[in-house]
Amino acid sequence: TYASPVTASNSIILHRGNVTFTMNATHTANALFRIGDTLEFPVLTLATGTLQTSAPNAVLGNGLDGIGTFNINDSDALFQTTTATSDITVGQLGGGVMNITNGGQVIGSDDIIIGNQATATGTVTVNGFNPLPAPGVTSHVRTTAANGDIIVGLSGRGTINIQAGGKVTSSDDIWIASN
């Protein structure tokens, strides 16, 4: 569990294990944000707080044989990219899984790509259910750039599950099986 008041780091790279972030202050990863570079199955859970990256891209499942999982699972848990051209890629070369539950929020400043390369498998689940103490807050995934797309299956296999009132909003297009 990471609950440090440190507000910035150079990179967040998770190769193996299970890590939970309980953030007391906004934390920014400036250079790299990658989960799942190797033949391992790391899991990062953002339990509370804001985690953001100004890296060129936030990538889950970067390695050919790895599976990177990122859970954003509370009404005060927010993950976002902050650079205008930063993409969120769920399944770059390997497997990527992103679960947004209990009112969690994900904001991609540019594109959100699920299943990028031909070898990739990406799955995003947005479950809107939020029990007490914050009823009415629903899980939401969105892009903010004028040309911010959500692409499900660019060259790889992509799946997006929208459940129980979850929201997915693109500021431009939503592409299904793009290539």
Side-chain angles (χ1 to χ4, degrees):
T1 298
Y2 180 85
S4 173
V6 174
T7 59
S9 60
N10 189 43
S11 299
I12 294 176
I13 302 171
L14 187 59
H15 292 290
R16 66 175 63 94
N18 296 310
V19 176
T20 299
F21 281 7
T22 304
M23 310 304 287
N24 300 322
T26 298
H27 184 88
T28 302
N30 294 308
L32 295 173
F33 186 95
R34 293 197 312 235
I35 302 170
D37 277 355
T38 59
L39 182 56
E40 296 289 342
F41 309 102
V43 177
L44 175 61
T45 298
L46 178 59
T48 59
T50 299
L51 178 60
Q52 60 189 23
T53 182
S54 58
N57 296 303
V59 180
L60 312 179
N62 193 52
L64 187 60
D65 296 321
I67 298 174
T69 300
F70 189 15
N71 302 313
I72 301 94
N73 68 359
D74 197 58
S75 60
D76 63 352
L78 167 66
F79 175 71
Q80 64 184 352
T81 56
T82 60
T83 304
T85 58
S86 290
D87 295 335
I88 296 173
T89 302
V90 181
Q92 172 67 15
L93 291 169
V97 176
M98 180 179 275
N99 299 304
I100 304 96
T101 59
N102 297 326
Q105 306 288 307
V106 172
I107 301 172
S109 51
D110 196 16
D111 297 333
I112 297 174
I113 303 165
I114 306 164
N116 192 22
Q117 301 296 325
T119 56
T121 300
T123 302
V124 172
T125 299
V126 186
N127 188 317
F129 175 71
N130 187 33
L132 296 175
V137 176
T138 191
S139 301
H140 194 182
V141 172
R142 64 185 180 272
T143 60
T144 58
N147 61 348
D149 299 325
I150 295 176
I151 304 164
V152 183
L154 180 61
S155 292
R157 292 179 304 265
T159 302
I160 189 163
N161 302 303
I162 306 166
Q163 304 167 340
K167 289 190 211 176
V168 175
T169 307
S170 173
S171 53
D172 194 16
D173 297 320
I174 296 179
W175 296 82
I176 307 294
S178 181
N179 287 332

